[in-house]
Amino acid sequence: MARPSWAPAEVDIDTPSIARVYDYWIGGTHNFPVDRELAERVSAGNPELVRTLRANRAFLRRSVRELSRLGVRQFLDIGSGIPAEGNVHDVALAAHPASTVVYVDIDPVAVAHGRAILADEPRAAVFQGDLYRPEQILSAPETEALIDFDRPVALLLAAVLHFVPDGDDPLKLIRQYTDRLAPGSYLVLSHAGADRVPQAAPQAAENYRSAVSQVIWRSTEELTALFAGHELLAPGVVRAPLWRPEPGEQPDADLPMLAGVAVKAAG
């Protein structure tokens, strides 16, 4: 296909990218026919997949809006994917023009698209980084330019930790980030899971693993444990659509995505 003007020169538009597949699943426009073909094939066996991922993105937007209301002006989004329309910087900047957002993703395709999207936005940046290397992320030039760790920060780990197995100690990994955050900072987590894994989920995980890595399903209790050292905001850890839905919204309460937001208390 002909290369559209918005496509970064360094990305291959004829080979599917999991970042663009995800973008398509959540209703984005930064994807190509080859991505959409793979997306349809993967999601065909699990009709809940797309609804679940969109519910996760809706939760992320609601959490950013709520934290902005609480006075947070700095957001560090790790595992962000492509920061397309309606993402964290759109919500945060709409709430307060002094907000700053740093996106981090390990996928170079997501980063390339992100840089093109954010080229004219000095209050947001994106760079390639590995969740498993906290110090490199926290000390990156983009982070240091936009994040002041002496003030509250919202650390966003949305749909990321379900790729971190228990053997890699996800709580220890989280603490390598949160130990650097000032009191009054917030931890935002969403995670594939439910107290009972839906029947379709294993096949969905198998399909997704072929493109990324195996999804680890965790229960409400297990995800709650990852907020250790923080105080959960109401309603606690719940299915993502049930976390502070918009007035008049009819949340799809059965989707297998858990979510919660917690504050780092003084001391």
Side-chain angles (χ1 to χ4, degrees):
M1 63 169 290
R3 177 179 292 273
S5 60
W6 54 264
E10 65 268 34
V11 303
D12 180 356
I13 67 173
D14 297 315
T15 301
S17 154
I18 191 58
R20 295 195 302 257
V21 167
Y22 190 91
D23 178 72
Y24 173 69
W25 279 333
I26 63 173
T29 59
H30 286 73
N31 50 75
F32 304 109
V34 66
D35 306 304
R36 296 191 282 273
E37 179 183 351
L38 176 59
E40 294 292 349
R41 188 164 68 249
V42 170
S43 62
N46 181 11
E48 285 189 343
L49 178 61
V50 172
R51 287 170 33 230
T52 300
L53 296 178
R54 293 188 179 188
N56 173 69
R57 185 49 57 99
F59 156 74
L60 182 61
R61 286 194 292 266
R62 293 196 308 275
S63 66
V64 170
R65 192 175 298 116
E66 179 65 13
L67 296 185
S68 295
R69 187 186 69 80
L70 293 173
V72 178
R73 300 289 177 258
Q74 305 182 105
F75 298 85
L76 177 57
D77 185 355
I78 302 176
S80 61
I82 298 173
E85 184 177 355
N87 214 308
V88 173
H89 69 284
D90 289 317
V91 177
L93 291 171
H96 198 285
S99 298
T100 57
V101 178
V102 174
Y103 294 107
V104 185
D105 202 278
I106 197 170
D107 188 334
V109 175
V111 172
H113 283 284
R115 284 178 174 153
I117 292 167
L118 300 173
D120 298 321
E121 180 47 77
R123 297 164 293 183
V126 58
F127 67 93
Q128 187 175 2
D130 186 345
L131 173 69
Y132 282 89
R133 305 185 78 175
E135 190 51 45
Q136 286 196 359
I137 289 177
L138 296 172
S139 63
E142 295 88 345
T143 306
E144 292 187 339
L146 293 175
I147 302 292
D148 177 0
F149 287 106
D150 291 329
R151 298 189 296 119
V153 177
L155 174 63
L156 313 177
L157 297 172
V160 173
L161 293 175
H162 51 227
F163 298 121
V164 178
D166 290 341
D168 289 347
D169 198 343
L171 179 57
K172 180 180 178 180
L173 184 59
I174 291 170
R175 283 178 168 165
Q176 290 180 69
Y177 290 96
T178 58
D179 284 351
R180 284 283 305 277
L181 304 185
S185 293
Y186 289 85
L187 176 62
V188 177
L189 302 180
S190 61
H191 195 293
D195 295 319
R196 181 184 61 81
V197 176
Q199 188 172 1
Q203 183 60 44
E206 182 64 31
N207 289 336
Y208 201 35
R209 179 173 56 189
S210 67
V212 190
S213 57
Q214 186 171 6
V215 175
I216 294 94
W217 293 79
R218 292 187 170 103
S219 67
T220 301
E221 182 179 34
E222 289 170 321
L223 184 57
T224 299
L226 296 183
F227 284 101
H230 293 71
E231 298 175 4
L232 279 162
L233 304 187
V237 172
V238 294
R239 303 289 180 101
L242 298 179
W243 195 90
R244 303 193 180 187
E246 302 292 346
E249 187 178 352
Q250 298 297 321
D252 193 343
D254 293 328
L255 294 179
M257 179 68 72
L258 300 173
V261 178
V263 63
K264 179 177 180 179

